Amino acid sequence: GRDLTGDGNSIKHGEIDETPTTITTKSGDEERSTTYKIKFVRQASSNANLANIFINGNTLSNFNPELTNYSVELPYGTTSTPVVTAEQAEDGQLVEITQPTSTTGSASIKVTAPDKKATKTYTIAFNVSKLSDNTLTDILINGESLLGFTPNQTIYRVSLPTSTTTMPTVEAISPYPIGAQTIEYIEPATIDGGTYQIKVSTPGNPTPKIYKLTFKLEASSYSYLKSLQMGENLITDFMP
């Protein structure tokens, strides 16, 4: 081969992926020349991994680029179909997303590497969580809210007038649509000293929460007037 270090030869270096390197050689009599152009390009990446996956804008929990199958549980009551987006790990990757069609559907993400050969497909299956909340928002005794009721307190003492001869009407108030919670009422055999039970369970929490109302017949300690009237005139601004 020819030695390119002679005076009649030249090399003009180009840039990778941009301009070619130009080599010009001249004959010994310098009457003829030949030009060679060599373009250097970087080898395309075979990386078909994603950097991240997002569900409704939130990072997919426990995402690992090497793992391709995921199951996502949406909160109870979700009715909107989730939206899946993805973040490329490298420029030049082609990302194609097939969105789910319902809250219990599946999404797929196909990633083609920059080399246009390597591919990877991620699959996300969705489902909606079962209701697990077994608390009530109120308990009504003969149509009136149970005094001092809070959802997480389960034991109550209920004072009833000494003249009470029939079992009080008890109604559990659920924060959810009818049928979402299973509510069971268990009456005591007797009123005075008897404990009325309300069992609340849900599909996601079959162990019931049991509210216990112990009835006690006793004279009222309430000594306030409801209103005060003189003749036919009701005294305004009266405070019991």
Side-chain angles (χ1 to χ4, degrees), residues 98-176:
T98 300
Q99 297 289 346
T101 57
S102 70
T103 55
T104 55
S106 295
S108 64
I109 307 172
K110 181 180 179 181
V111 185
T112 303
D115 67 2
K116 306 296 190 259
K117 296 178 181 179
T119 64
K120 178 172 287 188
T121 299
Y122 296 88
T123 302
I124 306 107
F126 294 94
N127 64 82
V128 179
S129 297
K130 295 179 180 179
L131 177 63
S132 60
D133 181 13
N134 58 4
T135 60
L136 299 172
T137 53
D138 200 1
I139 296 176
L140 304 183
I141 309 295
N142 292 330
E144 300 289 336
S145 291
L146 176 60
L147 185 64
F149 176 80
T150 57
N152 289 313
Q153 180 180 330
T154 57
I155 298 177
Y156 297 88
R157 176 189 171 95
V158 181
S159 295
L160 298 173
T162 54
S163 59
T164 300
T165 57
T166 59
M167 188 66 65
T169 300
V170 178
E171 181 182 1
I173 306 300
S174 171
Y176 302 100

